[in-house]
Amino acid sequence: MVVDYDVATDRIFGALADVTRRDILTRTARAPESVSGLARHYAMSFAAVQKHVAVLERATLVTKERRGREQLVRADRETLHRAAELLQAYEQLWEQRVDAIADILSEEGTPS
């Protein structure tokens, strides 16, 4: 089994590697939130939160929508679904490997 992988996948998992970005993603999956609203949740500058949102946006994990003076950030469920599918493919690959090892070990224990 081959797991499909590309540059977009690198961006997704690179973005998910940071705890703040994962938290932003969790919050915006529940409900859209403005960048300034998100910034209130963290002990960092507004600019730092903007940068985290930009990383998530480049990875297509969130989208921003201008509503008046605010930009609402919303999680992109399609990208989250793609990431989950990739992780499931890796899980299946490892399960196949474990099964193959178990088969080899059971053959070694069987008298010839």
Side-chain angles (χ1 to χ4, degrees), residues 10-78:
D10 273 351
R11 281 194 195 109
I12 291 167
F13 287 100
L16 292 172
D18 182 84
V19 67
T20 301
R21 291 192 288 266
R22 289 192 306 272
D23 190 65
I24 290 170
L25 193 57
T26 299
R27 290 175 188 282
T28 59
R30 286 188 208 122
E33 197 165 342
S34 68
V35 177
S36 57
L38 286 168
R40 286 188 217 112
H41 298 289
Y42 308 104
M44 62 181 73
S45 69
F46 175 82
V49 173
Q50 273 186 313
K51 287 180 184 180
H52 281 297
V53 170
V55 170
L56 290 167
E57 192 175 26
R58 274 192 303 275
T60 69
L61 285 162
V62 299
T63 57
K64 287 194 297 192
E65 173 189 341
R66 184 161 292 285
R67 211 156 290 147
R69 294 180 60 190
E70 292 186 319
Q71 288 191 50
L72 292 182
V73 180
R74 178 186 322 266
D76 186 304
R77 295 186 189 279
E78 185 177 317

